[in-house]
Amino acid sequence: MENKGLLIVYTGASGVGKGTIMKMLLKRNPNLRLSVSATTRKPRLGEQDGREYYFVSHERFDEMIAENGFLEHAEYVGNKYGTPKEPVFRMLDEGLDVILEIEVKGFLQIKKACPDCVTIFIAPPSFKELQLRLQGRGTESEEVIAERLRIAQEEMQHQHLFDYVVVNDDLERAVNEVLSIIAENKKKV
């Protein structure tokens, strides 16, 4: 029997550095694949359809929900996000480890559907540091930042539900900690 891949759910508050950590994880672990989510939000500068996200209309997103095409889906700050099922299951069957970078609402859905998944929450060193990181991006209005911070407070209250919590106070240490978590759990599969 072939080895199945490991399903990893990876989340944390907006601005905590999930994307930066993720880029380093993908460079250092050749068996790791990032699941590409679908979203109704507009692409940011430099983002490409099918690479960072599948950018779809609200109508197409609703069709995918009706077709039971998502492992999870949620609305976040006025846009919809979801993890398409088919590519995730295909990669797992090929023995690849698949990491889902999703929001807490999505994590709660995945944990019910896939209880054997490994769950990792990336936490900021402090709430003040998170606020500074979001403001430093310069990609959103003050209203959107305020909403993201409100949601971040809610999300951080769920971190105790995760298998692991990694504080991103030192990027290199955080990356190494996540890689160690993946390696340890891969031995159990």
Side-chain angles (χ1 to χ4, degrees):
M1 184 173 165
E2 283 185 42
N3 286 338
K4 257 187 108 71
L6 182 67
L7 181 61
I8 304 138
V9 176
Y10 171 88
T11 194
S14 177
V16 78
K18 295 185 305 288
T20 303
I21 292 172
M22 180 64 69
K23 286 177 187 167
M24 295 174 76
L25 294 173
L26 293 169
K27 284 181 185 174
R28 295 186 190 178
N29 184 336
N31 197 57
L32 188 62
R33 298 296 185 275
L34 175 62
S35 169
V36 177
S37 296
T39 183
T40 58
R41 82 158 169 77
K42 299 295 181 209
R44 292 182 182 143
L45 187 63
E47 289 182 330
Q48 266 182 8
D49 185 55
R51 187 179 65 192
E52 285 81 13
Y53 288 97
Y54 298 110
F55 295 99
V56 299
S57 68
H58 284 272
E59 295 77 21
R60 176 62 191 134
F61 197 97
D62 291 341
E63 288 171 7
M64 293 172 76
I65 292 171
E67 296 164 356
N68 196 26
F70 290 116
L71 279 172
E72 59 80 30
H73 60 88
E75 189 162 330
Y76 182 76
V77 194
N79 289 298
K80 297 176 184 176
Y81 295 83
T83 303
K85 280 184 185 178
E86 189 279 324
V88 171
F89 290 141
R90 181 178 31 79
M91 288 186 286
L92 290 172
D93 287 343
E94 291 171 2
L96 297 167
D97 300 325
V98 180
I99 191 163
L100 309 179
E101 185 178 346
I102 59 178
E103 305 304 325
V104 170
K105 288 178 184 177
F107 150 75
L108 296 169
Q109 293 174 47
I110 294 279
K111 195 64 178 167
K112 283 182 186 171
C114 306
D116 294 336
C117 67
V118 175
T119 60
I120 303 169
F121 187 90
I122 306 298
S126 69
F127 193 75
K128 181 66 176 168
E129 177 64 24
L130 182 64
Q131 182 179 8
L132 292 172
R133 289 179 187 181
L134 280 174
Q135 290 169 334
R137 276 183 179 177
T139 57
E140 284 120 358
S141 68
E142 284 300 316
E143 294 79 20
V144 171
I145 290 171
E147 179 65 5
R148 285 187 183 275
L149 288 170
R150 185 192 64 74
I151 292 168
Q153 284 182 315
E154 290 176 15
E155 290 174 334
M156 289 167 63
Q157 292 175 12
H158 290 93
Q159 58 187 314
H160 69 281
L161 299 173
F162 287 75
D163 299 325
Y164 303 92
V165 176
V166 175
V167 177
N168 186 15
D169 54 355
D170 176 89
L171 182 60
E172 189 66 28
R173 187 201 54 73
V175 170
N176 288 332
E177 191 172 337
V178 174
L179 287 170
S180 294
I181 291 166
I182 293 169
E184 186 61 34
N185 282 279
K186 186 67 176 173
K187 291 177 190 175
K188 297 176 188 176
V189 174

